[in-house]
Amino acid sequence: MTPAFSAEQSAFSQRLTEIVGSASVSTDERVTAEHTVDGLKPFVVVFASSAEQVSQVVKAGNQFEKTIVPWGSGSRQSVGPCLARADAVISLKPMNKIIELDVGNYTVQVEAGMVNRDLHRQLAEQGLFLPFDPFCTETSTIGGELATNVSGPSRAAYGTARDIVLGITAVSPTGDIIHTGGKTMKNVAGIDLGKLLIGSQGTLGIITDTVMRIFPQAEVNRSLLLAFPDAEDAFQVVSRLLASKLTPGSVELVDRLVGHHLEPAGGPPLEENGVLLMVSISGSREDAERHQKDISTLAEENKVDSTVILDGTEVNGIENAYHQAHQSLFTSPSVVQGKASVPLSKQGEMFRAIKKTGSKYGVPVGVTVHGYNGILYTRFDASVADPSGIINDLNGTAAGLDGFFMVEAAPLQFRKNGAVLPPRSDYKLMRLLKNSLDPRNILNPGKLVGGPG
Amino acid sequence: MIQQSFIKELTGIVGRDNILSSRKDLLAYSYDSTSRQEMPEVIVFPRSTAEVSGVIKAAHRDKVPVIARGAGTNLSGGTIPDRGGIILELSRMNRILDIDTANHRAVVQPGVVNLDLQNALAPFGFVFPPDPASQEMSTLGGNVGENAGGPHCLKHGVTSKYVYGMEVVLSDGEVINVGGSVEDNPGYDLRGLLIGSEGTLGIATRLTLHIIPKPETSRTLLVIFETLENASQTVSDIIGAGIIPGAMELIDKTTCWAIEQGISAGYPTDAEAVLLIELEGLQDSLDRQVRDISEICQKNKVRELRIAKTSAEQAALWQGRRGAFGAIARICPQYIVMDGTVPRNKMVPTIHRVDEIAKKYHLTIALVAHAGDGNIHPLILFDTGNPEEIVSARKAGDEICELCSSMGGTITGEHGVGLEKLHAMFTQFSSADLSAMRRVKEVFDPEGILNPGKLLPPEEDESLHETKEVAG
Ligand SMILES: Cc1cc2nc3c(=O)[nH]c(=O)nc-3n(C[C@H](O)[C@H](O)[C@H](O)COP(=O)(O)OP(=O)(O)OC[C@H]3O[C@@H](n4cnc5c(N)ncnc54)[C@H](O)[C@@H]3O)c2cc1C
């Protein structure tokens, strides 16, 4: 069924057809409904296959004053503040190729619609690896992941997208193709617009391709799974690791809710209030031996219950299980997913406070922690009596620890009503930037900018 | 022109002991580490954020240029007051406010000298990884202003990776905080935008930095080659083998010779090139790394591989490397430092072409490089008494910038654009790229008072240059 359009909408769709061809424009109910964001259904979906096409589409958006929602796979559309208006969705799905794999320089340039998992698989076949492993779905695209600045366990050793990305090509909100950075390890020419685009949630530009650093796969990859009956002891181990000379690949802590899902992949069983500390080790044989020895000793000194060491393909198994558990528990539509960021030494305290808040409201709150970054992800069912009470409490606790808490993903009504972003002194400047770079407010209006002053 | 009443107003803000305006004093702040010189109108030394804000408010009202300055060691003309105005010298905001090893964090004022922070961290067994070779003088504010690198950025990454957040005075005097004292702050990455913006978007008045435990052990290797080609091929091969040393510096014969004229650092004076490689990490793994690297060196016809036996030997080699620019200055006071960076596997052809450019213009071009990152510093030597040679040196510099761009690289890897590389910006960016940057500048600084004329080339000049073709 094709709904009735205004003359203006038809003219805009017509223009889109001229740009990408009729096969790549759809006003079909079923297609537009699939691309609904925050309850807003676009009247047209356009599939772009080049930066040039994206540029033309955005120019048309400006000309016809139609708003545009950039779309990777749709997995992280409902995060942050609500979208205000959605006329057209531009899907980058056809832009899913590796542009250049430069092994001698250890960089890869990919189109933004490339699925991260596909990229990982293709790199692995050549003995290479990309230390960018955000908790996303099987279908999440690199462009979407950069736009939302998501990250995963490897950030402990390699940093976030802002450290791994060397260059970005993007289409500005007025339709210009802009290049920032390049394929060199260092680059300080001009203003670093790439940093601005990463995490801008499609409000300042549509990323069309990127160059990222890659690395050869390590000689040894191991995973140490350490079960602690008491969270306190697990966090104690993390503190001592942080003060040591060791350089683990990642350091994750999970509670029983998540830990339970890791058992089939080899994870040790946890007690009711137990915590699983997962340390990945990657490096030379000698490095791995030393890490394993020292970390095991630390764990034993801190009342570890049981220790499992995984090697080779078992490591992939547990990593996949972890990603899947995170995915299914934290990103289901009926869940309020939050994120706390606190100083490293306050992680244990924040963890306990989250659990206590859950008990206070009679709601189980699941938690996973990037133990080398002070980041704690929380999840609870949105159906509970008083989500805003929990959110307020956690805001207060995190602020008291010199950090912050924010709701990332949640059913629409919570993101509409509550302030989902903590207060900051730089929002005004962010709004001015948005207004200046996107004078007609074409790209993702309402998203991100506009938190409390 | 600044009026006497304006100077009086500034004196009221910073106090009589913290302002200079005599001709002799102005002269001392008329240059940086490049060869240009222009006179400022007044120098102020604020001691607090409030004073910085007060000075900026006055400047904003009267539209007077304000040039933030740390130690003036930048190599791009970034602190040259070519439009007069105020030099905002931050060297008196030099307190380390907090060292918090449990949270891997240090809070400092911008005027703290990089090495002073390193020395303060040493007793705790921590380091701040960015270590520009100028670290004995350059300030952390200046490191942020340029997004400085340094030898050890090969393994650890550059300044932007080690700044959690900062307090910033905006062009109208408002004080805001960007980033934070923890990770993943919501909103746009204004922190990332400000780092490397060369004082054109705001003045950093307090920095929250990320510090890390010092590696357990390190080993310094001096590898000596008969040809530059063999040395740079070795770099590519080491990177290609997946080994990332802490640092990997290339130094050519001219520079080795110059270093050894000043101090006995231990460099040979008769080899075409050496690599200074520092391996760091757990002691368990270093022996094998040394073996792997020496195999690669053998394959590339190494003359000799020496491993520093004592920490004194290690320190001497590094002192020599850090003193390289100074050493060249002793043999030839005037030279242009280039800072192009190319993909790591393009090092060999790039260095080859630099050599051809030197021959074409009959110039001596010495070479130092943060080689593991593909960041090369050709030093173009010239005689200020020879007008033709000055012209040749400038032309050679332009060609090297173009060369690095054409190799898929950048005109500057760490020293910044400043005034020196303004026009080279056109070889790297399209007019759409530049206009997006200008918009950002206008949002932060609508009156154009913060380090005006630096970093972004004037729009009017675009027609004089062929800007980079926009790729489809
Ligand atoms: C011998 C020698 C070796 C060097 N080696 C290296 C190297 O290995 N790696 C490297 O990256 N660089 C190197 N440099 C260049 C230079 O030292 C760096 O750019 C350094 O970061 C500059 O620091 P500074 O304190 O001298 O800053 P300045 O030169 O005073 O200022 C640099 C820029 O930052 C701005 N600025 C200063 N303070 C602030 C502030 N608080 N807020 C905002 N903007 C500010 C200024 O306006 C200017 O644009 C070297 C220089 C020399 C002379």
Side-chain angles (χ1 to χ4, degrees):
Chain A
M1 188 192 97
T2 310
F5 290 124
S6 68
E8 215 194 343
Q9 287 176 330
S10 303
F12 179 59
S13 302
Q14 177 56 35
R15 176 75 195 108
L16 297 183
T17 306
E18 286 161 23
I19 298 166
V20 297
S22 57
S24 299
V25 178
S26 179
T27 50
D28 189 305
E29 241 335 294
R30 275 166 315 188
V31 177
T32 55
E34 267 174 24
H35 292 84
T36 298
V37 179
D38 293 346
L40 303 170
K41 185 161 63 77
F43 69 84
V44 59
V45 178
V46 51
F47 296 86
S49 43
S50 69
E52 186 53 41
Q53 286 185 355
V54 176
S55 155
Q56 295 297 328
V57 169
V58 174
K59 281 184 180 154
N62 277 270
Q63 188 192 338
F64 291 84
E65 305 221 348
K66 294 286 169 263
T67 68
I68 295 172
V69 177
W71 187 281
S73 75
S75 68
R76 301 274 299 172
Q77 288 289 356
S78 292
V79 295
C82 290
L83 190 68
R85 184 177 143 189
D87 296 328
V89 161
I90 183 164
S91 168
L92 302 192
K93 220 172 187 171
M95 297 180 66
N96 59 5
K97 287 174 290 300
I98 292 180
I99 299 171
E100 185 196 39
L101 175 60
D102 188 345
V103 179
N105 189 41
Y106 282 109
T107 51
V108 67
Q109 182 178 18
V110 298
E111 290 183 319
M114 175 122 202
V115 171
N116 190 341
R117 293 290 164 83
D118 292 342
L119 178 58
H120 266 88
R121 273 189 282 269
Q122 290 189 31
L123 291 172
E125 280 164 18
Q126 310 208 37
L128 298 165
F129 114 100
L130 172 71
F132 182 53
D133 55 352
F135 292 126
C136 278
T137 64
E138 273 293 322
T139 57
S140 297
T141 62
I142 295 287
E145 292 176 348
L146 296 187
T148 47
N149 192 28
V150 285
S151 57
S154 318
R155 66 183 288 175
Y158 294 92
T160 65
R162 288 169 184 151
D163 306 306
I164 298 160
V165 168
L166 300 175
I168 286 180
T169 306
V171 171
S172 78
T174 49
D176 290 325
I177 297 175
I178 55 172
H179 303 269
T180 138
K183 58 186 287 194
T184 55
M185 298 302 122
K186 293 157 83 179
N187 193 343
V188 296
I191 292 176
D192 194 349
L193 298 177
K195 293 280 191 303
L196 191 58
L197 286 162
I198 295 171
S200 68
Q201 285 196 356
T203 59
L204 296 181
I206 302 178
I207 296 168
T208 55
D209 75 62
T210 180
V211 182
M212 288 186 283
R213 296 187 68 169
I214 51 174
F215 294 83
Q217 274 172 357
E219 190 173 54
V220 176
N221 282 303
R222 259 176 228 166
S223 196
L224 266 59
L225 307 177
L226 309 159
F228 292 87
D230 192 314
E232 193 97 10
D233 295 316
F235 281 101
Q236 183 58 30
V237 171
V238 173
S239 296
R240 291 187 53 192
L241 261 178
L242 279 163
S244 77
K245 303 295 188 191
L246 301 180
T247 51
S250 67
V251 177
E252 299 285 304
L253 291 105
V254 305
D255 63 9
R256 186 155 175 259
L257 179 81
V258 178
H260 179 62
H261 289 254
L262 306 181
E263 285 175 33
L270 293 178
E271 288 177 26
E272 179 66 32
N273 293 315
V275 161
L276 181 67
L277 175 61
M278 300 190 285
V279 184
S280 79
I281 303 170
S282 66
S284 64
R285 250 177 291 121
E286 294 85 352
D287 252 353
E289 290 305 323
R290 166 77 185 281
H291 273 89
Q292 189 173 321
K293 189 172 110 252
D294 286 10
I295 295 169
S296 302
T297 308
L298 270 181
E300 271 150 35
E301 286 169 7
N302 287 280
K303 310 189 199 108
V304 68
D305 222 7
S306 56
T307 301
V308 174
I309 297 166
L310 302 180
D311 210 330
T313 53
E314 294 169 336
V315 175
N316 298 339
I318 197 82
E319 282 173 359
N320 287 339
Y322 185 33
H323 272 81
Q324 268 159 24
H326 217 281
Q327 171 59 25
S328 65
L329 291 167
F330 283 68
T331 56
S332 101
S334 60
V335 159
V336 177
Q337 189 228 305
K339 174 180 186 172
S341 181
V342 296
L344 296 170
S345 66
K346 307 283 193 215
Q347 300 181 106
E349 213 171 312
M350 189 69 210
F351 183 89
R352 283 194 300 278
I354 292 168
K355 290 292 180 190
K356 228 169 101 188
T357 306
S359 307
K360 175 176 158 193
Y361 290 89
V363 186
V365 181
V367 186
T368 63
V369 187
H370 291 316
Y372 257 42
N373 305 92
I375 307 282
L376 300 91
Y377 293 102
T378 63
R379 59 85 67 197
F380 58 87
D381 275 328
S383 57
V384 303
D386 181 17
S388 57
I390 301 184
I391 295 169
N392 281 339
D393 281 14
L394 293 181
N395 277 335
T397 310
L401 296 174
D402 197 17
F404 65 86
F405 175 82
M406 64 191 270
V407 173
E408 280 204 324
L412 203 52
Q413 71 266 29
F414 302 115
R415 291 191 293 123
K416 257 190 187 143
N417 303 335
V420 296
L421 299 175
R424 293 183 62 83
S425 59
D426 56 0
Y427 286 132
K428 189 177 93 190
L429 204 52
M430 293 183 199
R431 274 185 226 121
L432 289 173
L433 270 172
K434 169 69 175 171
N435 295 345
S436 165
L437 293 171
D438 189 2
R440 294 196 185 80
N441 209 10
I442 296 297
L443 290 187
N444 269 353
K447 286 240 116 174
L448 189 70
V449 183
Chain B
M1 260 300 276
I2 287 180
Q3 303 298 316
Q4 209 47 47
S5 60
F6 187 74
I7 293 187
K8 218 163 145 198
E9 184 182 352
L10 297 185
T11 310
I13 297 168
V14 297
R16 249 205 315 199
D17 294 338
N18 298 304
I19 187 162
L20 299 172
S21 59
S22 78
R23 208 184 139 68
K24 173 171 69 65
D25 291 324
L26 296 181
L27 209 55
Y29 291 87
S30 63
Y31 56 89
D32 54 20
S33 300
T34 52
S35 45
R36 246 180 112 152
Q37 199 176 6
E38 305 274 356
M39 289 298 266
E41 293 169 90
V42 60
I43 325 292
V44 294
F45 300 85
R47 288 158 306 165
S48 68
T49 304
E51 287 181 8
V52 172
S53 171
V55 170
I56 303 274
K57 274 185 185 141
H60 183 255
R61 185 197 60 220
D62 289 3
K63 301 192 176 43
V64 177
V66 181
I67 296 130
R69 191 178 191 275
T73 68
N74 75 86
L75 295 162
S76 50
T79 48
I80 300 288
D82 63 328
R83 300 182 185 189
I86 305 168
I87 293 271
L88 187 78
E89 162 77 34
L90 292 151
S91 57
R92 292 187 191 169
M93 289 181 72
N94 62 353
R95 279 187 304 133
I96 296 174
L97 302 172
D98 188 25
I99 290 178
D100 179 359
T101 54
N103 289 313
H104 287 202
R105 205 160 73 174
V107 183
V108 300
Q109 289 186 321
V112 171
V113 170
N114 181 300
L115 189 64
D116 289 344
L117 175 63
Q118 309 289 3
N119 288 337
L121 295 175
F124 300 97
F126 272 69
V127 293
F128 175 63
D131 63 336
S134 59
Q135 67 180 167
E136 285 175 33
M137 303 160 288
S138 68
T139 65
L140 293 161
N143 297 164
V144 166
E146 302 286 8
N147 193 10
H152 288 79
C153 293
L154 171 58
K155 179 158 186 174
H156 298 286
V158 295
T159 302
S160 66
K161 194 170 176 208
Y162 295 95
V163 179
Y164 282 125
M166 41 192 178
E167 177 187 79
V168 180
V169 178
L170 298 175
S171 68
D172 60 358
E174 187 188 342
V175 181
I176 64 165
N177 284 286
V178 299
S181 54
V182 294
E183 298 189 31
D184 284 11
N185 296 281
Y188 300 149
D189 187 14
L190 302 185
R191 176 206 64 90
L193 202 58
L194 277 150
I195 296 169
S197 67
E198 305 188 6
T200 64
L201 301 183
I203 314 291
T205 46
R206 198 182 63 228
L207 308 168
T208 304
L209 304 174
H210 183 182
I211 56 174
I212 64 169
K214 186 178 172 111
E216 182 172 82
T217 186
S218 66
R219 252 178 248 169
T220 303
L221 277 56
L222 179 68
V223 199
I224 303 167
F225 292 92
E226 301 294 4
T227 71
L228 209 51
E229 186 130 0
N230 284 339
S232 38
Q233 187 60 47
T234 301
V235 172
S236 290
D237 291 350
I238 289 173
I239 297 289
I243 302 170
I244 303 185
M248 183 150 56
E249 303 281 303
L250 184 149
I251 309 169
D252 79 343
K253 185 175 174 179
T254 310
T255 312
C256 282
W257 181 81
I259 292 171
E260 292 297 316
Q261 296 307 298
I263 56 168
S264 302
Y267 290 101
T269 52
D270 61 343
E272 285 306 316
V274 304
L275 293 178
L276 180 63
I277 302 177
E278 186 145 289
L279 300 174
E280 48 168 56
L282 298 176
Q283 57 205 21
D284 312 55
S285 61
L286 290 197
D287 284 341
R288 180 138 73 92
Q289 269 191 40
V290 171
R291 272 204 311 279
D292 291 348
I293 286 181
S294 52
E295 265 169 38
I296 293 170
C297 293
Q298 295 303 337
K299 219 182 70 204
N300 287 299
K301 308 199 188 82
V302 62
R303 177 165 105 189
E304 191 188 344
L305 187 153
R306 296 183 197 155
I307 301 176
K309 287 185 203 67
T310 61
S311 53
E313 254 179 75
Q314 219 172 358
L317 285 168
W318 277 107
Q319 199 194 342
R321 165 59 190 93
R322 276 196 293 273
F325 293 175
I328 290 284
R330 276 193 299 276
I331 57 165
C332 173
Q334 291 303 340
Y335 60 90
I336 305 174
V337 183
M338 306 304 298
D339 180 38
T341 305
V342 294
R344 300 188 276 193
N345 43 359
K346 293 283 169 60
M347 277 267 295
V348 178
T350 306
I351 289 176
H352 197 72
R353 291 275 297 281
V354 169
D355 198 38
E356 285 171 9
I357 292 171
K359 289 205 178 94
K360 173 174 158 193
Y361 290 103
H362 308 289
L363 291 164
T364 300
I365 300 186
L367 181 73
V368 185
H370 303 305
D373 277 325
N375 185 191
I376 57 170
H377 295 321
L379 310 172
I380 309 173
L381 314 192
F382 63 94
D383 173 2
T384 36
N386 180 343
E388 268 169 52
E389 203 166 284
I390 298 175
V391 174
S392 296
R394 297 241 163 250
K395 278 193 186 149
D398 290 345
E399 278 190 35
I400 292 173
C401 281
E402 275 164 40
L403 166 67
C404 293
S405 290
S406 72
M407 287 284 176
T410 174
I411 57 172
T412 173
E414 56 175 24
H415 293 167
V417 175
L419 288 176
E420 294 266 305
K421 298 183 204 82
L422 273 184
H423 286 267
M425 288 286 281
F426 293 116
T427 67
Q428 195 171 327
F429 294 106
S430 70
S431 48
D433 301 339
L434 293 171
S435 89
M437 293 180 199
R438 285 193 197 101
R439 286 205 175 190
V440 170
K441 165 72 176 170
E442 278 158 23
V443 168
F444 276 83
D445 183 18
E447 305 292 345
I449 61 163
L450 296 181
N451 212 0
K454 311 288 166 52
L455 185 64
L456 300 176
E459 206 166 352
E460 315 73 274
D461 290 3
E462 226 154 78
S463 55
L464 305 176
H465 296 259
E466 250 176 72
T467 49
K468 192 177 170 262
E469 280 297 305
V470 184

